[in-house]
Structure formats: C-alpha cells, structure tokens
Amino acid sequence: KQEVTQIPAALSVPEGENLVLNCSFTDSAIYNLQWFRQDPGKGLTSLLLIQSSQREQTSGRLNASLDKSSGRSTLYIAASQPGDSATYLCAGSGNTPLVFGKGTRLSVIA
Amino acid sequence: GAVVSQHPSRVICKSGTSVKIECRSLDFQATTMFWYRQFPKQSLMLMATSNEGSKATYEQGVEKDKFLINHASLTLSTLTVTSAHPEDSSFYICSARDRLAGGSNEQFFGPGTRLTVL
C-alpha cells in the first residue's frame, strides 16, 4: 500500500529565498504525483501534476520533479513570497485513489 | 474546466442528526468519486471510493452504515453522515475523475465541507 512522507513538517524562510520541499513514496509503481497547496481552513489548490512518464513539471516559480526509481519528488519554489505561506501536500496514486502526505507547513517571512 | 463543487460549504448540527453533503462535477462526467476526511492539522484520509451505479468501497475502519454514499448519476455523489456525533466533526473533501480523461488518473477536488457537530 502506498505511503507518502513529507519532510520537513514545517519550514520558515525569509522572503526571496529559494526553497525545496521533499516528498517520498514507497510504491514505485506510481502513476501520478500531484502537489497541492492548502491555506488554513480551505480546500486544496492543485499546483502541479506529474505523470509517471514525466520527470518534471513547471508552473511559474514552481518546479516539481519526480524520480520513480528513488521514490522521491521535490517541489522547488523560487524567490519565495509571503503569499506562498501555506501547507503544501504531495499525493501519489497508482491505479488507485491519491494517497496524501502529512504536508509541509511553509511560512515566508517578509 | 474540471470543476467540482460541494454543498454545503459549512454545516453545524446537533448530535444525533444526519447531515448530507453533495459533491458535483460541473463540467465533466465522473464514474468515480472519492470522499476524504481531514481532521485539524492532519492530512487527508481516504474514506471511500464512490462508483456510479454501484456500491461504494470503504476504507478499513470507516463504518459504511454511518457514512452512507450514493452515486446515482455521473455528476453527483452524496455523503450522508448518519447520527452525527462530535467526533465526526471534520473537513470533508470530495474529488472526481473525468470519465473521458483516458489514461490520466488526475483527481479534481471540491472546496470541502466543514462539519461541526455540537
């Protein structure tokens, strides 16, 4: 059964810094890897979806990579801004529903 | 495209009452929808998979008689929390897969429903 782990659990950085969030998964037969953002008390905002045949996806200041062989994905945020403060969740699926990690709570300090 | 709505967004009820939450795919058809639950400061945990026209598949530890799921059409799934108790207070989020998405297993998420049981 797929298990997803995210490190660190919380991260605080000054504005403008580049940062990396890590996600690892146990089942390499992953089909999709998605990164989401969740603001306090709100639902999920999908950031990036990487399919198993892909290595990375980019959207604006965000870049997500997928390495199936090592069971890892990273989310790179460039030039962080206070508005990036949120919880970031990664989730993976085979031909199964998405399994979520516990998230990384990011605070970007102005 | 690929919009999923939930109704209501927030509900407060007394202990012992039943609450129905609707999940709709607005611009696509979904043969499969999923219901997740999220407790404060926790991640999303899958409760059940809802298949159009058939019985839902529940995850281990989720009481199917307490959390009734109906997926009567390709655009609507409902979750009914029966005889709700304070420990059922949580954030309930649904998601759906596009029937015509081919090999993509992408799930589109609703905005969630916050249930508070007094």
Side-chain angles (χ1 to χ4, degrees):
Chain A
K1 186 177 179 180
Q2 184 70 268
E3 293 183 9
V4 178
T5 303
Q6 291 187 247
I7 296 173
L11 180 65
S12 182
V13 300
E15 181 178 5
E17 191 163 298
N18 302 325
L19 59 100
V20 175
L21 307 181
N22 297 293
C23 173
S24 61
F25 46 91
T26 55
D27 187 354
S28 62
I30 200 164
Y31 200 86
N32 287 341
L33 193 292
Q34 281 185 260
W35 283 92
F36 297 88
R37 168 185 173 140
Q38 187 175 31
D39 292 287
K42 303 295 184 181
L44 303 179
T45 299
S46 180
L47 298 174
L48 291 164
L49 166 69
I50 311 175
Q51 296 188 7
S52 62
S53 59
Q54 300 171 325
R55 290 282 184 128
E56 64 178 341
Q57 285 286 331
T58 298
S59 176
R61 294 183 293 108
L62 306 179
N63 175 275
S65 67
L66 175 63
D67 184 343
K68 290 178 59 179
S69 61
S70 67
R72 292 180 181 178
S73 176
T74 61
L75 178 66
Y76 175 83
I77 302 177
S80 58
Q81 302 171 358
D84 295 330
S85 299
T87 296
Y88 290 81
L89 297 163
C90 75
S93 72
N95 189 24
T96 54
L98 282 171
V99 175
F100 283 82
K102 292 185 177 182
T104 294
R105 191 170 63 254
L106 173 65
S107 296
V108 181
I109 310 301
Chain B
V3 178
V4 176
S5 70
Q6 278 185 245
H7 178 80
S9 59
R10 184 182 298 268
V11 58
I12 300 173
C13 69
K14 293 182 178 180
S15 184
T17 60
S18 294
V19 175
K20 179 185 284 187
I21 303 170
E22 293 185 348
C23 177
R24 292 181 185 274
S25 55
L26 298 185
D27 50 2
F28 65 98
Q29 294 180 329
T31 51
T32 305
M33 291 183 171
F34 306 96
W35 287 96
Y36 291 82
R37 179 168 55 182
Q38 185 181 35
F39 291 109
K41 298 188 185 299
Q42 300 292 315
S43 190
L44 278 75
M45 297 299 294
L46 180 68
M47 298 176 67
T49 300
S50 170
N51 299 298
E52 187 267 337
S54 65
K55 291 183 178 180
T57 304
Y58 291 82
E59 295 299 299
Q60 191 173 9
V62 178
E63 299 175 58
K64 62 180 181 180
D65 294 330
K66 181 171 184 60
F67 299 99
L68 301 179
I69 292 173
N70 184 281
H71 192 158
S73 78
L74 287 172
T75 59
L76 173 64
S77 175
T78 60
L79 169 68
T80 301
V81 183
T82 63
S83 187
H85 291 284
E87 58 264 30
D88 299 321
S89 298
S90 188
F91 193 50
Y92 293 85
I93 304 178
C94 73
S95 68
R97 282 182 181 157
D98 188 342
R99 180 175 72 92
L100 300 178
S104 171
N105 280 349
E106 184 173 5
Q107 290 175 221
F108 302 98
F109 284 80
T113 297
R114 184 161 304 283
L115 171 64
T116 302
V117 185
L118 303 177

